[in-house]
Amino acid sequence: MEEADEKLKEMHMGRIIHMLSHQMKRNCNNVDSAITNDDLTVMQKHVLKFVLLESLHRDLYQKDIEEEFQIRKSTVTGILKLMESHGYIRRESVKRDARLKRIVPTAKAEEIRPKILEQIQKTEAKLLEGIPQENVTICKQTLWQMFHNISEMNEEENKKDE
C-alpha cells in the first residue's frame, strides 16, 4: 500500500480521473453491452441511455440532450431522427408550446431500461467496494467542485476567444 501511496502523491488529479474514466469505458458492464441492438451507433446508445434514465425523473427535450452531450442542435436532430425511425423514441408536442417536442422512450426502448439499471448498480457497487459512505460523499462533493471549477475555467476561456 505504501507504494500506491507514493504513486498517488506524484500523480496529478487529472491523470487519476482520466485513468478511472478509461477503465469505466472499458468496463464490460457499459451501455454498449446493455443495448445490443446493432441498429444504433455508440452515440445513439448513449443518448438512449440518457433518455431512459432521465425520463424516469423529468420531461426531456432536445435542448437537454444538446446540453448533456455538448453537441450542436443539428447533430442532436440527426441522432433523434434515426432513433425515432428505429422505433426507440417518439416526439410529442407540448400543450403549452407546440414548438417544443418532448422526447419519450417507446416500449421497444423501455425493454432495455432494466438491463441498463442493473449494469449501473453492478458498476456502482464495484466502484464503491470497501469505501466508507462518508468518503463517498466527500469524493462526490470534491469531484462536483472540480467539475464546476473546470467548467468555469472553460467559460472564461471561451469568452476570451469571442
Side-chain angles (χ1 to χ4, degrees), residues 35 37 39-40 47-53 55-56 60 80-92 102-114 116:
I35 305 172
N37 312 52
D39 54 347
L40 294 175
V47 171
L48 180 57
K49 176 185 172 189
F50 177 73
V51 168
L52 285 167
L53 296 176
S55 64
L56 288 170
L60 277 181
L80 293 176
K81 279 183 181 177
L82 284 169
M83 290 173 66
E84 195 168 24
S85 71
H86 286 119
Y88 290 99
I89 62 159
R90 66 179 189 278
R91 291 183 267 190
E92 299 176 344
R102 188 168 63 106
I103 300 165
V104 180
T106 62
K108 182 178 180 179
E110 293 288 353
E111 291 174 9
I112 299 166
R113 185 180 295 170
I116 291 172

Side-chain angles (χ1 to χ4, degrees), residues 63-112:
K63 189 78 174 158
D64 297 316
I65 295 168
E66 293 167 18
E67 290 172 3
E68 175 69 17
F69 294 96
Q70 295 293 297
I71 51 180
R72 287 188 213 108
K73 184 178 182 175
S74 59
T75 304
V76 176
T77 299
I79 289 169
L80 293 176
K81 279 183 181 177
L82 284 169
M83 290 173 66
E84 195 168 24
S85 71
H86 286 119
Y88 290 99
I89 62 159
R90 66 179 189 278
R91 291 183 267 190
E92 299 176 344
S93 293
V94 177
K95 289 179 184 172
R96 63 182 159 83
D97 187 344
R99 296 170 298 174
L100 276 180
K101 302 279 189 232
R102 188 168 63 106
I103 300 165
V104 180
T106 62
K108 182 178 180 179
E110 293 288 353
E111 291 174 9
I112 299 166

Side-chain angles (χ1 to χ4, degrees), residues 4-139:
D5 289 343
E6 280 302 311
K7 238 180 172 178
L8 282 175
K9 283 181 188 175
E10 302 299 319
M11 235 183 258
H12 296 282
M13 287 298 297
R15 175 80 176 128
I16 296 168
I17 292 167
H18 175 77
M19 290 168 60
L20 176 59
S21 174
H22 184 70
Q23 284 299 321
M24 290 187 69
K25 287 175 188 169
R26 294 179 65 200
N27 178 4
C28 62
N29 284 327
N30 65 20
V31 69
D32 293 336
S33 60
I35 305 172
T36 56
N37 312 52
D38 289 334
D39 54 347
L40 294 175
T41 66
V42 171
M43 186 61 186
Q44 290 167 346
K45 289 177 182 182
H46 285 289
V47 171
L48 180 57
K49 176 185 172 189
F50 177 73
V51 168
L52 285 167
L53 296 176
E54 289 298 310
S55 64
L56 288 170
H57 312 291
R58 63 185 174 117
D59 287 342
L60 277 181
Y61 303 94
Q62 180 166 330
K63 189 78 174 158
D64 297 316
I65 295 168
E66 293 167 18
E67 290 172 3
E68 175 69 17
F69 294 96
Q70 295 293 297
I71 51 180
R72 287 188 213 108
K73 184 178 182 175
S74 59
T75 304
V76 176
T77 299
I79 289 169
L80 293 176
K81 279 183 181 177
L82 284 169
M83 290 173 66
E84 195 168 24
S85 71
H86 286 119
Y88 290 99
I89 62 159
R90 66 179 189 278
R91 291 183 267 190
E92 299 176 344
S93 293
V94 177
K95 289 179 184 172
R96 63 182 159 83
D97 187 344
R99 296 170 298 174
L100 276 180
K101 302 279 189 232
R102 188 168 63 106
I103 300 165
V104 180
T106 62
K108 182 178 180 179
E110 293 288 353
E111 291 174 9
I112 299 166
R113 185 180 295 170
K115 294 177 197 170
I116 291 172
L117 291 171
E118 181 183 337
Q119 288 183 332
I120 289 170
Q121 288 170 340
K122 282 182 184 177
T123 301
E124 284 285 306
K126 193 62 178 173
L127 276 170
L128 303 178
E129 196 172 275
I131 303 172
Q133 182 56 47
E134 59 270 14
N135 290 6
V136 172
T137 302
I138 291 168
C139 181

Side-chain angles (χ1 to χ4, degrees), residues 143-155:
L143 289 170
W144 185 252
Q145 184 63 49
M146 289 177 176
F147 172 79
H148 175 75
N149 292 347
I150 206 81
S151 295
E152 195 175 79
M153 184 177 83
N154 288 338
E155 285 176 20

